[in-house]
Amino acid sequence: MRTCQRCVLPASFPGAVLDADGVCAYCRRDRATEASRERQREGLRARFRALCSEHRGRGPYDCLLAWSGGKDSTYTLSLLRRRYGLRVLAYTFDNGFVAPQAMENMHRISEALGVDHVIVRPRFDLLRVLFFRAAERPEAFSLKALTRASGVCNACMGMAKGVGLQLALRHAVPIIAYGWSPGQAPVSSALFRRSAGMYRPMVDALMEPLQRLADDDVSPYFPAIDDWERVEVPPLDVAPLLFCRYDEAEIADEIGALGWRRPPDTDPNSSNCLLNAYGNAMHRARFGFHPYALELANLVRLGAMARHEALARLEEPEDPAVVAMVRLRLGVADAGACYERAVATTSAESIDRTEHLP
Protein backbone atom coordinates (compact mmCIF):
# COMPACT_ATOMS: atom_id res chain seq x y z
CA MET A 1 0.00 0.00 0.00
CA ARG A 2 1.29 3.46 -0.92
CA THR A 3 2.15 5.69 2.03
CA CYS A 4 2.77 9.44 2.15
CA GLN A 5 6.48 10.11 1.71
CA ARG A 6 6.48 12.93 4.28
CA CYS A 7 4.27 11.53 7.05
CA VAL A 8 2.81 8.02 7.31
CA LEU A 9 -0.77 8.34 6.06
CA PRO A 10 -1.65 5.44 3.74
CA ALA A 11 -3.45 6.01 0.47
CA SER A 12 -6.47 4.23 2.01
CA PHE A 13 -6.87 6.93 4.67
CA PRO A 14 -9.94 9.16 4.07
CA GLY A 15 -8.91 12.31 2.24
CA ALA A 16 -5.21 11.40 1.97
CA VAL A 17 -5.17 11.83 -1.85
CA LEU A 18 -1.48 11.20 -2.52
CA ASP A 19 -0.08 13.27 -5.42
CA ALA A 20 2.44 12.21 -8.07
CA ASP A 21 5.28 12.77 -5.60
CA GLY A 22 3.61 10.57 -3.00
CA VAL A 23 2.71 13.47 -0.68
CA CYS A 24 -0.69 13.43 1.02
CA ALA A 25 -3.22 16.26 1.07
CA TYR A 26 -2.71 16.75 4.83
CA CYS A 27 0.99 17.49 4.30
CA ARG A 28 0.27 19.74 1.32
CA ARG A 29 -2.12 21.84 3.43
CA ASP A 30 0.26 22.15 6.37
CA ARG A 31 2.08 25.46 5.96
CA ALA A 32 2.67 26.30 9.62
CA THR A 33 6.28 26.84 10.66
CA GLU A 34 7.79 25.69 13.96
CA ALA A 35 8.28 29.34 14.90
CA SER A 36 4.58 30.12 14.43
CA ARG A 37 3.60 26.99 16.35
CA GLU A 38 5.86 27.93 19.25
CA ARG A 39 4.40 31.46 19.42
CA GLN A 40 0.94 29.90 19.66
CA ARG A 41 2.07 27.45 22.34
CA GLU A 42 3.70 30.21 24.39
CA GLY A 43 0.47 32.21 24.34
CA LEU A 44 -1.44 29.16 25.56
CA ARG A 45 1.10 28.51 28.33
CA ALA A 46 0.67 32.08 29.55
CA ARG A 47 -3.12 31.74 29.51
CA PHE A 48 -2.96 28.48 31.43
CA ARG A 49 -0.63 29.93 34.06
CA ALA A 50 -3.14 32.73 34.57
CA LEU A 51 -6.01 30.25 34.87
CA CYS A 52 -4.06 28.25 37.44
CA SER A 53 -3.51 31.40 39.50
CA GLU A 54 -7.21 32.23 39.23
CA HIS A 55 -8.48 28.82 40.38
CA ARG A 56 -5.72 27.51 42.64
CA GLY A 57 -6.92 26.92 46.20
CA ARG A 58 -10.52 28.04 45.70
CA GLY A 59 -11.98 24.59 46.25
CA PRO A 60 -10.94 21.12 47.42
CA TYR A 61 -9.51 20.38 43.97
CA ASP A 62 -8.12 22.72 41.34
CA CYS A 63 -8.21 20.21 38.52
CA LEU A 64 -9.62 16.82 37.51
CA LEU A 65 -7.38 14.63 35.34
CA ALA A 66 -8.54 11.80 33.09
CA TRP A 67 -5.78 9.33 33.98
CA SER A 68 -5.52 6.17 31.90
CA GLY A 69 -2.21 5.16 33.46
CA GLY A 70 -0.47 5.51 30.10
CA LYS A 71 2.68 7.54 29.58
CA ASP A 72 1.03 10.72 28.27
CA SER A 73 -1.63 11.08 30.96
CA THR A 74 0.92 10.15 33.63
CA TYR A 75 3.29 12.85 32.38
CA THR A 76 0.36 15.28 32.32
CA LEU A 77 -0.31 14.48 35.98
CA SER A 78 3.33 15.21 36.78
CA LEU A 79 3.14 18.56 34.97
CA LEU A 80 -0.04 19.60 36.75
CA ARG A 81 1.39 18.76 40.17
CA ARG A 82 5.06 19.67 39.86
CA ARG A 83 5.16 22.50 37.32
CA TYR A 84 1.80 24.17 37.92
CA GLY A 85 1.28 23.28 41.59
CA LEU A 86 -2.35 22.21 41.24
CA ARG A 87 -4.35 20.03 43.62
CA VAL A 88 -5.44 17.26 41.29
CA LEU A 89 -8.17 14.68 41.58
CA ALA A 90 -7.18 11.92 39.15
CA TYR A 91 -9.80 9.49 37.92
CA THR A 92 -9.43 6.29 35.94
CA PHE A 93 -12.16 4.66 33.86
CA ASP A 94 -11.45 0.95 34.34
CA ASN A 95 -12.71 -0.70 31.16
CA GLY A 96 -11.88 -4.20 32.41
CA PHE A 97 -8.75 -4.40 30.29
CA VAL A 98 -6.29 -2.08 32.04
CA ALA A 99 -2.88 -3.76 32.00
CA PRO A 100 -1.80 -4.96 35.46
CA GLN A 101 1.43 -2.97 35.20
CA ALA A 102 -0.58 0.18 34.42
CA MET A 103 -2.61 -0.31 37.60
CA GLU A 104 0.57 -0.81 39.58
CA ASN A 105 2.05 2.34 38.01
CA MET A 106 -0.95 4.40 39.04
CA HIS A 107 -0.88 3.17 42.61
CA ARG A 108 2.83 4.00 42.92
CA ILE A 109 2.70 7.40 41.21
CA SER A 110 -0.45 8.69 42.93
CA GLU A 111 1.37 8.09 46.20
CA ALA A 112 4.59 9.69 44.96
CA LEU A 113 2.80 12.85 43.78
CA GLY A 114 0.30 13.06 46.64
CA VAL A 115 -2.78 12.80 44.42
CA ASP A 116 -6.25 11.52 45.27
CA HIS A 117 -7.19 8.81 42.80
CA VAL A 118 -10.68 7.55 41.97
CA ILE A 119 -11.19 4.39 39.92
CA VAL A 120 -14.60 3.97 38.27
CA ARG A 121 -15.23 0.34 37.30
CA PRO A 122 -18.59 -0.19 35.54
CA ARG A 123 -20.17 -3.62 35.61
CA PHE A 124 -18.54 -5.82 33.04
CA ASP A 125 -21.72 -7.20 31.48
CA LEU A 126 -22.43 -3.65 30.23
CA LEU A 127 -18.89 -3.12 28.99
CA ARG A 128 -18.91 -6.48 27.21
CA VAL A 129 -22.01 -5.52 25.23
CA LEU A 130 -20.73 -2.02 24.52
CA PHE A 131 -17.30 -3.05 23.23
CA PHE A 132 -18.55 -6.06 21.28
CA ARG A 133 -21.14 -3.96 19.46
CA ALA A 134 -18.74 -1.04 18.94
CA ALA A 135 -16.34 -3.40 17.15
CA GLU A 136 -19.11 -4.97 15.08
CA ARG A 137 -21.02 -1.73 14.36
CA PRO A 138 -18.51 1.15 14.35
CA GLU A 139 -20.86 3.15 12.13
CA ALA A 140 -22.59 4.16 15.37
CA PHE A 141 -19.86 6.80 15.53
CA SER A 142 -19.25 9.64 13.11
CA LEU A 143 -16.93 9.06 10.18
CA LYS A 144 -14.62 11.78 11.43
CA ALA A 145 -14.39 10.09 14.84
CA LEU A 146 -13.42 6.84 13.15
CA THR A 147 -10.46 8.48 11.42
CA ARG A 148 -9.04 9.24 14.90
CA ALA A 149 -9.83 6.07 16.86
CA SER A 150 -11.42 2.66 16.49
CA GLY A 151 -15.07 2.10 17.33
CA VAL A 152 -13.99 0.30 20.50
CA CYS A 153 -11.82 3.24 21.60
CA ASN A 154 -14.57 5.73 20.77
CA ALA A 155 -16.95 3.79 23.01
CA CYS A 156 -14.44 3.66 25.85
CA MET A 157 -13.47 7.31 25.56
CA GLY A 158 -17.11 8.39 25.43
CA MET A 159 -17.85 6.62 28.70
CA ALA A 160 -14.67 7.97 30.29
CA LYS A 161 -15.52 11.55 29.33
CA GLY A 162 -19.03 11.18 30.71
CA VAL A 163 -17.68 9.90 34.02
CA GLY A 164 -15.15 12.71 34.17
CA LEU A 165 -17.68 15.46 33.60
CA GLN A 166 -19.98 13.92 36.19
CA LEU A 167 -17.15 13.93 38.74
CA ALA A 168 -16.12 17.50 37.88
CA LEU A 169 -19.65 18.82 38.32
CA ARG A 170 -20.27 16.95 41.57
CA HIS A 171 -16.97 18.11 43.10
CA ALA A 172 -17.16 21.64 41.60
CA VAL A 173 -13.79 21.23 39.90
CA PRO A 174 -13.09 24.16 37.54
CA ILE A 175 -10.67 22.43 35.14
CA ILE A 176 -10.77 19.03 33.43
CA ALA A 177 -7.39 17.97 32.04
CA TYR A 178 -6.66 15.37 29.38
CA GLY A 179 -3.38 13.76 28.36
CA TRP A 180 -3.89 14.21 24.63
CA SER A 181 -0.70 14.15 22.61
CA PRO A 182 -0.06 16.81 19.93
CA GLY A 183 -0.89 14.12 17.39
CA GLN A 184 -4.35 13.47 18.82
CA ALA A 185 -5.77 16.97 18.81
CA PRO A 186 -5.02 20.35 17.20
CA VAL A 187 -3.42 23.05 19.33
CA SER A 188 -6.68 25.01 19.12
CA SER A 189 -8.17 22.37 21.45
CA ALA A 190 -5.59 23.00 24.18
CA LEU A 191 -7.79 25.38 26.18
CA PHE A 192 -11.49 25.25 25.55
CA ARG A 193 -14.32 26.73 27.60
CA ARG A 194 -17.90 25.94 26.64
CA SER A 195 -20.92 27.84 27.86
CA ALA A 196 -23.61 25.94 29.73
CA GLY A 197 -25.72 26.14 26.59
CA MET A 198 -22.98 24.43 24.58
CA TYR A 199 -22.03 21.82 27.16
CA ARG A 200 -25.26 19.90 27.55
CA PRO A 201 -25.82 19.35 23.80
CA MET A 202 -22.18 18.24 23.54
CA VAL A 203 -22.70 15.64 26.27
CA ASP A 204 -25.93 14.47 24.66
CA ALA A 205 -24.07 14.02 21.37
CA LEU A 206 -21.35 12.08 23.20
CA MET A 207 -23.89 9.77 24.82
CA GLU A 208 -26.11 9.20 21.77
CA PRO A 209 -23.93 6.65 19.89
CA LEU A 210 -23.36 4.74 23.14
CA GLN A 211 -27.12 4.55 23.67
CA ARG A 212 -27.48 3.12 20.18
CA LEU A 213 -25.05 0.38 21.17
CA ALA A 214 -26.10 -0.32 24.77
CA ASP A 215 -29.42 1.49 25.28
CA ASP A 216 -29.97 3.61 28.40
CA ASP A 217 -27.67 1.42 30.50
CA VAL A 218 -24.95 4.00 29.80
CA SER A 219 -26.94 6.92 31.24
CA PRO A 220 -25.74 6.58 34.86
CA TYR A 221 -22.21 7.35 33.70
CA PHE A 222 -23.16 10.80 32.39
CA PRO A 223 -24.26 13.95 34.21
CA ALA A 224 -27.89 14.12 35.33
CA ILE A 225 -30.00 17.27 35.47
CA ASP A 226 -29.13 17.72 39.16
CA ASP A 227 -25.44 17.72 38.27
CA TRP A 228 -25.84 20.64 35.87
CA GLU A 229 -27.63 22.65 38.53
CA ARG A 230 -24.62 22.41 40.86
CA VAL A 231 -22.49 24.90 38.92
CA GLU A 232 -23.01 28.20 37.17
CA VAL A 233 -19.94 27.92 34.91
CA PRO A 234 -19.03 24.54 33.37
CA PRO A 235 -15.43 23.37 33.76
CA LEU A 236 -12.70 24.34 31.32
CA ASP A 237 -11.10 21.62 29.18
CA VAL A 238 -7.29 21.69 28.99
CA ALA A 239 -4.75 19.46 27.26
CA PRO A 240 -1.31 20.61 28.52
CA LEU A 241 0.73 18.43 26.17
CA LEU A 242 -0.57 20.49 23.25
CA PHE A 243 1.33 23.56 24.46
CA CYS A 244 4.17 22.01 26.49
CA ARG A 245 7.26 20.43 25.02
CA TYR A 246 6.47 16.91 23.78
CA ASP A 247 9.43 14.56 23.62
CA GLU A 248 8.79 10.86 24.28
CA ALA A 249 12.32 10.21 25.57
CA GLU A 250 12.04 13.07 28.08
CA ILE A 251 8.58 11.91 29.10
CA ALA A 252 9.87 8.38 29.71
CA ASP A 253 12.74 9.72 31.83
CA GLU A 254 10.53 11.92 34.02
CA ILE A 255 7.79 9.41 34.72
CA GLY A 256 10.36 6.61 34.99
CA ALA A 257 11.95 8.51 37.88
CA LEU A 258 8.53 8.42 39.57
CA GLY A 259 8.37 4.64 39.21
CA TRP A 260 6.43 4.27 35.95
CA ARG A 261 7.20 1.10 33.97
CA ARG A 262 5.92 0.28 30.50
CA PRO A 263 3.55 -2.71 30.51
CA PRO A 264 5.05 -5.68 28.63
CA ASP A 265 1.75 -6.84 27.15
CA THR A 266 0.27 -3.74 25.47
CA ASP A 267 0.60 -2.91 21.77
CA PRO A 268 3.14 -0.25 20.65
CA ASN A 269 0.46 2.44 20.44
CA SER A 270 -0.83 2.00 23.99
CA SER A 271 0.92 1.94 27.33
CA ASN A 272 -2.05 1.04 29.49
CA CYS A 273 -4.81 -0.90 27.68
CA LEU A 274 -5.05 -4.51 26.46
CA LEU A 275 -8.37 -3.90 24.70
CA ASN A 276 -6.61 -1.57 22.27
CA ALA A 277 -5.09 -4.41 20.23
CA TYR A 278 -8.51 -5.90 19.51
CA GLY A 279 -9.94 -2.52 18.53
CA ASN A 280 -6.99 -1.89 16.20
CA ALA A 281 -7.37 -5.28 14.52
CA MET A 282 -11.09 -4.87 13.93
CA HIS A 283 -10.65 -1.31 12.65
CA ARG A 284 -7.92 -2.30 10.18
CA ALA A 285 -10.04 -5.15 8.86
CA ARG A 286 -13.08 -2.94 8.46
CA PHE A 287 -11.61 0.29 7.09
CA GLY A 288 -8.23 -0.65 5.61
CA PHE A 289 -6.13 1.74 7.69
CA HIS A 290 -4.74 1.77 11.23
CA PRO A 291 -6.74 3.85 13.72
CA TYR A 292 -3.48 5.45 14.93
CA ALA A 293 -2.42 6.50 11.43
CA LEU A 294 -3.61 10.11 11.80
CA GLU A 295 -2.10 10.61 15.26
CA LEU A 296 1.30 9.27 14.24
CA ALA A 297 1.24 11.18 10.94
CA ASN A 298 0.57 14.39 12.87
CA LEU A 299 3.49 13.68 15.23
CA VAL A 300 5.79 13.13 12.26
CA ARG A 301 4.58 16.34 10.63
CA LEU A 302 5.21 18.24 13.88
CA GLY A 303 8.72 16.82 14.18
CA ALA A 304 7.85 14.99 17.41
CA MET A 305 8.47 11.51 15.97
CA ALA A 306 10.72 10.06 13.30
CA ARG A 307 8.89 8.73 10.25
CA HIS A 308 10.55 5.32 10.45
CA GLU A 309 9.43 4.91 14.07
CA ALA A 310 5.84 5.83 13.19
CA LEU A 311 5.85 3.34 10.31
CA ALA A 312 7.16 0.60 12.58
CA ARG A 313 4.36 1.22 15.08
CA LEU A 314 1.72 1.07 12.37
CA GLU A 315 3.13 -2.05 10.76
CA GLU A 316 3.61 -4.14 13.90
CA PRO A 317 0.87 -6.79 14.05
CA GLU A 318 -1.34 -7.17 17.10
CA ASP A 319 -0.30 -9.84 19.58
CA PRO A 320 -2.60 -12.81 18.79
CA ALA A 321 -2.54 -13.98 22.42
CA VAL A 322 -3.81 -10.59 23.65
CA VAL A 323 -6.47 -10.43 20.92
CA ALA A 324 -7.56 -13.97 21.81
CA MET A 325 -7.85 -13.04 25.49
CA VAL A 326 -10.01 -10.01 24.65
CA ARG A 327 -12.20 -12.06 22.30
CA LEU A 328 -12.73 -14.65 25.01
CA ARG A 329 -13.77 -12.04 27.60
CA LEU A 330 -16.08 -10.28 25.12
CA GLY A 331 -17.65 -13.57 24.04
CA VAL A 332 -16.46 -13.36 20.45
CA ALA A 333 -16.54 -16.93 19.15
CA ASP A 334 -14.28 -16.66 16.13
CA ALA A 335 -11.96 -13.80 15.21
CA GLY A 336 -11.70 -14.87 11.58
CA ALA A 337 -15.47 -14.77 11.19
CA CYS A 338 -15.53 -11.33 12.81
CA TYR A 339 -12.92 -10.01 10.39
CA GLU A 340 -14.79 -11.46 7.42
CA ARG A 341 -18.03 -9.83 8.58
CA ALA A 342 -16.23 -6.53 9.09
CA VAL A 343 -14.73 -6.56 5.61
CA ALA A 344 -17.95 -7.79 3.99
CA THR A 345 -20.01 -4.97 5.50
CA THR A 346 -17.61 -2.26 4.30
CA SER A 347 -19.41 -0.85 1.27
CA ALA A 348 -17.91 1.28 -1.48
CA GLU A 349 -20.42 3.95 -0.48
CA SER A 350 -19.11 4.14 3.08
CA ILE A 351 -15.54 4.54 1.82
CA ASP A 352 -16.56 7.24 -0.64
CA ARG A 353 -18.33 9.15 2.14
CA THR A 354 -15.06 9.45 4.04
CA GLU A 355 -12.96 10.64 1.13
CA HIS A 356 -13.55 14.35 1.69
CA LEU A 357 -13.25 14.49 5.45
CA PRO A 358 -11.01 17.35 6.64
Side-chain angles (χ1 to χ4, degrees), residues 1-4 7-8 10 267-269 280 284 289-293 296 307-319:
M1 182 183 298
R2 293 179 67 216
T3 303
C4 177
C7 65
V8 291
D267 68 274
N269 296 296
N280 291 347
R284 288 210 268 189
F289 63 89
H290 200 294
Y292 281 81
L296 297 184
R307 183 174 182 273
H308 68 85
E309 181 182 353
L311 283 172
R313 291 192 189 186
L314 294 176
E315 292 169 358
E316 182 172 329
E318 290 75 28
D319 185 335

